[in-house]
Amino acid sequence: MIKYIVTASGSDGNAYTILDNDNNCLLIEAGKGLFENILRTVPDVKKIHGLLVSHSHQDHAGDVPKFEKYRIPV
C-alpha cells in the first residue's frame, strides 16, 4: 500500500510525502521552512530515497539545501 501524506500546502510552503510500504519514501517538494515538519513525518531519513521538486520557487524548493547533508538525490 502506498500512503500519500500532505505535510504542508499553501503559499507559505509545500511539502508532500509518498511512503511506499513503510520502508522507502519519496518526498515531493520541500518548501522553505518545512524541513522540521518533513523530518517529523519521516523521522528515519534513511527511508528517503529521493526528493522531487516541481520548480525552484521558495515555497516548493526553499529547504532543498537542508537535505544535502543526507545525500538524498534531488
Side-chain angles (χ1 to χ4, degrees):
M1 177 160 89
I2 297 174
K3 297 179 209 170
Y4 180 72
I5 300 167
V6 178
T7 304
S9 180
S11 59
D12 290 335
N14 295 281
Y16 313 96
T17 308
I18 293 180
L19 296 173
D20 181 27
N21 73 16
D22 294 326
N23 293 316
N24 304 297
C25 74
L26 171 68
L27 300 178
I28 302 174
E29 314 290 11
K32 185 172 182 155
L34 297 176
F35 181 73
E36 297 299 325
N37 285 350
I38 293 169
L39 291 185
R40 276 193 291 276
T41 303
V42 186
D44 183 1
V45 179
K46 293 176 185 176
K47 287 181 158 185
I48 303 171
H49 288 269
L51 172 57
L52 176 67
V53 178
S54 63
H55 60 285
S56 62
H57 290 167
Q58 289 296 307
D59 63 327
H60 290 260
D63 276 0
V64 167
K66 293 182 178 182
F67 286 94
E68 288 177 354
K69 71 179 181 179
Y70 298 107
R71 300 176 190 232
I72 296 170
V74 178

